[in-house]
Amino acid sequence: MILAIVLLDAVLPLSGLWFNDALLSRAGTWSLLPTQALFPNWSITPLQPVPIDPAIPSPPLAWLEIILFLTVLTTLFLLYLYALARLPALISRRHVMLSTVALGLFYALFPVVTSPDLFSYLIYARMGVIYHLNPLTTLPTQIQYDATYPYLYWIDQPSAYGPTWAAITCFLQWLALPLAGANNLLLPLLLLRLLGLATHLGSTLLIWSISGYLQPAHAEDQPGQRRRALATLAFAWNPLLLFEAAVNAHNDSTLLFLILLALWLLVRGKPVLLLYSLVTILFALAACLKINTVLLFPGLLLLLWGRGVPLRQIAFCLGLYIGCIVLLYAPFWDSGAVLDVLRVNPSASRNINTIAEFLGQFYNAAIVSHFEVTIPIIGSPGERLTHTLSMGIFALCYFWLCWRALRHSWRIRTPGGLIQWLALVWLLYCAIGTPWFWPWYLVTFFGLYALLEASGASRRWPLTLVRWRGAATLRRPLPFRLLSLTMLMLYGSYAWALHGAFMPFLPGFKLAYLRGPCAWLLPLVLTWLLDRLARRSNLGLGLPATGRSHSPPVALLIQRLSRPYRLLLQSSATEQREDRLSPSSME
C-alpha cells in the first residue's frame, strides 16, 4: 500500500493532469523526489506563487499521463481489496489505527492537491484572524494583496461554510500565526491536513465503538468480530477517504466526525431528554459546518417519533436545533448579508460531475448541432432544466422516505434504523439531489455505510426502507468499494488531454461530460460483470500450477499476481450467496 501511495505521489505532479501546487516545495524539493526519480525531464505542475500555464505536454504524452494516473489508482484499489480479503481475521483495532496513521502521513506529504478548496479555507481563516473581516460575507477580492490570493479559484464569493468551520480554521490560523508569521502558508496548510487525518482517525474509532453496540448480543463470535474488523478497516484504509482527509483536507471529514459522535451518544446513552439534547446540538454544529446536513436532522425527529417520545420533547429538540443555528450565525449575520452566498454559490444553478450535467450538455450539443445556434455553456436552458429536475426528483424521494418513516409499520425505533435512513438519504442526495457534486461529498455516506456493514444491516439495506427490485444490488459492499475508485478517477476527467477532447459525431460535447454517468453507473456495471465472471470461472482463473506452457516459478508468479482478481471474484460470489440466504427485511 505504501509503495502504491508513493507511486501515486510521483504521478500527481505531472503537468498534463492539471493539479494544483500544495506549497510543500517551499520547504524543499524533497516532496518531488518520487516524480523526479521516476519521470525525469517530464513537465510538472508549476511551483510559482503566480499561476501560469504549465508547459503543456504533447497529446500522446498527455494521454499517457492520464493512463498512468488511472493505472496507479487501480493498482492502489486492488491492493486495498486484497487487504480487505486477508487482514480482518488477523488484525486488531490497534493495528488498524497505527497503519492508518502511517498511510495518512504519506498522503499528507503529497506535493499537490486535486482541489483548490484548501486555499479557500486558508484565506477565509486569514480574513478572520489577520484582517478582522467577516469570512461569511467578505469577498476574497477585497484582500488581493494577501499571499493566498494567487492560489484561489473562487475569488468572487464569500465562504460557503458556516460558523463551525470558520471557528475551527480561524483557531488553526491563530495557532500558526506566532510560529510561522503572517506570510507563511505552509504551516496552516499542514495543520489543515493533519486536522483532516485526525478527524478521519477519530471517525475510525467511533465506527469501531458504535459497531460494537449495534451488533446483536450473540455476535461476539468470530464471524461477528471479523465483520466488525472488516468494516472498520474498509473505512480506515479507503483511498478516497484518506485522500480527501489528508491531501485535499476537505471539511467533510470533520463533518462526518460530528455526525458519528452524535450516533455514538445515541447507542451508548439512555433515551432521556438530556441525551437527545446533546445529539441535537451536535447535529446543529454539523449544519453550521455545511448547511446541506439539515437533510439529516429530520431522521432524529423520526426516531423520537418512532420511540413514542412526547410531542413536547420533540418540539423542544426542534426548537433547540433552530436556536443553536441562529445563535451560531448571529455574529456573522451582517444585516442579512450572509444570505448572499445562496445567490453566488455555483451549486445553486450549475451542474457538474453528475448525470444532470451529462443530460444538460448532451441536450445543448444536440441543439447546437441540429439548429446551428449558439448556446452559452453556463446558464443554458438545458442546464437549468436538468438542474431543477434533479432537485425536484430528490425532493419527492426525500418526502416519501419521511412519510414512510411516519407510518406505524415503518417507524424508526432504533439507532440502527436511523443509520439506515441517514445512509439512504445521503446517498440519494449525492446521486440526484445535488447537481453540483464532488467526490468528497460521499465521505459522510461511507462513514454511515461502514456502520451498516459492521452490524450486518447492509445485507438488508435499503430494502427495509424501499421496495424497489433494483435496490437488491445495493445490499452488497462491492458496488460501494468500486464507487470509491470511480470517484477518485473522476479527478482524471479534468486532465488537459481529456478535458479538451470532443465527441467526433457530436460537436460541442466534451468527452469529460461522460464523467457523471461513468462515476455512478460503472460500479453497477462492473459488479454485474464480476458476478458473471465469478460464475463462469468457478472462483478462479483456471491457470495451471505447473505444465509445459509455464515453468513452475512463472506459474507461481502468475497465481500470486492474479490473487487480488480471484479474491474479488470470490467476494462477488460470496455476496451473492449471502444475499440469497439473508432475510429480505428487518423489524
Side-chain angles (χ1 to χ4, degrees):
M1 287 287 290
I2 289 176
L3 290 175
I5 293 172
V6 172
L7 187 58
L8 181 62
D9 182 12
V11 171
L12 288 178
L14 298 178
S15 61
L17 298 176
W18 272 13
F19 295 139
N20 303 91
D21 177 26
L23 309 184
L24 290 184
S25 58
R26 296 188 175 188
T29 58
W30 53 267
S31 61
L32 294 172
L33 286 178
T35 306
Q36 295 171 348
L38 295 177
F39 307 103
N41 302 323
W42 287 41
S43 176
I44 63 174
T45 298
L47 306 178
Q48 287 90 357
V50 179
I52 62 173
D53 293 331
I56 300 298
S58 61
L61 184 58
W63 280 104
L64 177 60
E65 293 177 1
I66 295 176
I67 294 173
L68 283 173
F69 174 68
L70 299 180
T71 303
V72 171
L73 283 182
T74 304
T75 303
L76 179 63
F77 178 76
L78 289 176
L79 290 172
Y80 166 69
L81 290 180
Y82 184 67
L84 296 184
R86 297 298 300 271
L87 292 183
L90 308 174
I91 60 175
S92 62
R93 181 186 65 178
R94 182 172 180 269
H95 180 277
V96 173
M97 298 304 299
L98 292 178
S99 60
T100 305
V101 170
L103 297 178
L105 290 177
F106 275 91
Y107 278 105
L109 297 178
F110 275 22
V112 299
V113 291
T114 58
S115 167
D117 286 359
L118 184 58
F119 299 107
S120 296
Y121 300 160
L122 290 178
I123 200 166
Y124 294 136
R126 292 166 69 84
M127 284 180 184
V129 176
I130 299 177
Y131 303 105
H132 307 290
L133 298 173
N134 185 352
L136 274 63
T137 60
T138 305
L139 300 181
T141 52
Q142 297 188 21
I143 51 172
Q144 299 184 24
Y145 46 84
D146 186 81
T148 314
Y149 188 82
Y151 297 96
L152 292 181
Y153 183 81
W154 303 108
I155 62 174
D156 54 356
Q157 68 175 44
S159 175
Y161 311 104
T164 302
W165 187 242
I168 293 173
T169 53
C170 287
F171 175 72
L172 294 179
Q173 180 64 50
W174 177 78
L175 286 179
L177 194 59
L179 297 176
N183 293 324
N184 187 291
L185 304 179
L186 180 58
L187 181 57
L189 184 145
L190 289 176
L191 289 178
L192 284 171
R193 283 186 166 184
L194 293 178
L195 171 67
L197 178 58
T199 52
H200 179 75
L201 293 171
S203 297
T204 303
L205 281 175
L206 288 174
I207 288 172
W208 178 274
S209 179
I210 295 171
S211 59
Y213 289 94
L214 292 178
Q215 287 185 343
H218 58 78
E220 294 297 329
D221 52 2
Q222 185 175 359
Q225 290 302 313
R226 185 184 182 279
R227 186 171 62 244
R228 183 184 184 187
L230 171 62
T232 306
L233 183 66
F235 174 85
W237 279 24
N238 189 312
L240 172 66
L241 304 183
L242 279 172
F243 195 90
E244 300 300 347
V247 179
N248 291 330
H250 278 117
N251 53 20
D252 293 76
S253 299
T254 306
L255 176 68
L256 174 62
F257 178 78
L258 293 175
I259 295 173
L260 291 178
L261 186 58
L263 296 175
W264 181 75
L265 292 176
L266 274 178
V267 299
R268 285 180 55 92
K270 296 181 179 180
V272 296
L273 182 59
L274 178 60
L275 171 68
Y276 297 142
S277 300
L278 293 175
V279 174
T280 299
I281 293 173
L282 287 173
F283 271 100
L285 289 174
C288 290
L289 197 153
K290 295 189 82 169
I291 195 61
N292 51 8
T293 54
V294 296
L295 297 171
L296 302 181
F297 179 70
L300 176 62
L301 300 181
L302 292 172
L303 173 65
L304 301 183
W305 174 264
R307 285 182 168 182
V309 175
L311 286 177
R312 64 178 182 275
Q313 294 188 12
I314 298 178
F316 173 79
C317 291
L318 178 60
L320 178 63
Y321 181 76
I322 297 175
C324 288
I325 294 177
V326 172
L327 185 64
L328 289 172
Y329 268 97
F332 303 90
W333 186 248
D334 196 10
S335 302
V338 70
L339 299 177
D340 289 342
V341 69
L342 300 177
R343 177 178 54 84
V344 300
N345 197 305
S347 61
S349 59
R350 297 289 310 281
N351 300 343
I352 199 166
N353 300 326
T354 55
I355 298 177
E357 180 199 33
F358 164 75
L359 295 176
Q361 295 297 339
F362 185 84
Y363 171 81
N364 292 338
I367 294 297
V368 170
S369 176
H370 184 72
F371 295 101
E372 297 183 356
V373 296
T374 302
I375 295 180
I377 298 178
I378 299 176
S380 64
E383 184 177 43
R384 291 197 300 267
L385 174 63
T386 54
H387 187 93
T388 304
L389 183 62
S390 179
M391 293 193 299
I393 294 174
F394 170 74
L396 292 176
C397 296
Y398 182 76
F399 287 117
W400 182 73
L401 287 175
C402 292
W403 176 76
R404 291 292 297 268
L406 289 173
R407 296 178 59 186
H408 180 73
S409 58
W410 292 92
R411 287 184 179 178
I412 301 174
R413 296 183 174 90
T414 63
L418 173 62
I419 294 170
Q420 293 187 51
W421 190 88
L422 296 178
L424 182 57
V425 165
W426 200 255
L427 180 63
L428 288 175
Y429 171 75
C430 292
I432 60 176
T434 171
W436 180 272
F437 172 81
W438 292 96
W440 55 86
Y441 291 8
L442 279 170
V443 169
T444 299
F445 168 76
F446 280 116
L448 296 171
Y449 185 80
L451 296 177
L452 297 180
E453 187 178 3
S455 62
S458 60
R459 300 177 184 177
R460 301 178 293 270
W461 176 87
L463 295 181
T464 56
L465 300 173
V466 295
R467 291 297 184 183
W468 173 47
R469 184 176 181 181
T473 306
L474 303 181
R475 293 185 297 172
R476 307 165 54 190
L478 182 58
F480 300 109
R481 305 272 196 263
L482 297 172
L483 183 63
S484 62
L485 171 65
T486 57
M487 287 299 158
L488 270 178
M489 287 182 170
L490 192 142
Y491 287 119
S493 66
Y494 292 90
W496 173 76
L498 186 59
H499 195 66
F502 291 85
M503 297 287 287
F505 58 87
L506 194 61
F509 187 84
K510 295 182 178 181
L511 287 175
Y513 294 148
L514 296 172
R515 55 196 170 206
C518 289
W520 285 104
L521 301 180
L522 192 58
L524 301 177
V525 175
L526 290 176
T527 301
W528 178 77
L529 290 176
L530 287 171
D531 289 343
R532 292 180 62 87
L533 288 174
R535 290 194 296 267
R536 290 186 176 184
S537 63
N538 194 22
L539 305 184
L541 293 176
L543 295 175
T546 59
R548 297 180 179 179
S549 59
H550 298 285
S551 62
V554 174
L556 182 61
L557 177 62
I558 294 177
Q559 286 185 341
R560 289 181 176 178
L561 292 177
S562 64
R563 185 174 296 177
Y565 173 74
R566 289 187 285 112
L567 288 173
L568 190 60
L569 295 181
Q570 184 176 5
S571 173
S572 180
T574 302
E575 290 173 1
Q576 285 185 307
R577 291 194 296 268
E578 291 176 349
D579 286 345
R580 291 193 295 266
L581 297 176
S582 63
S584 60
S585 62
M586 55 189 304
E587 58 158 63

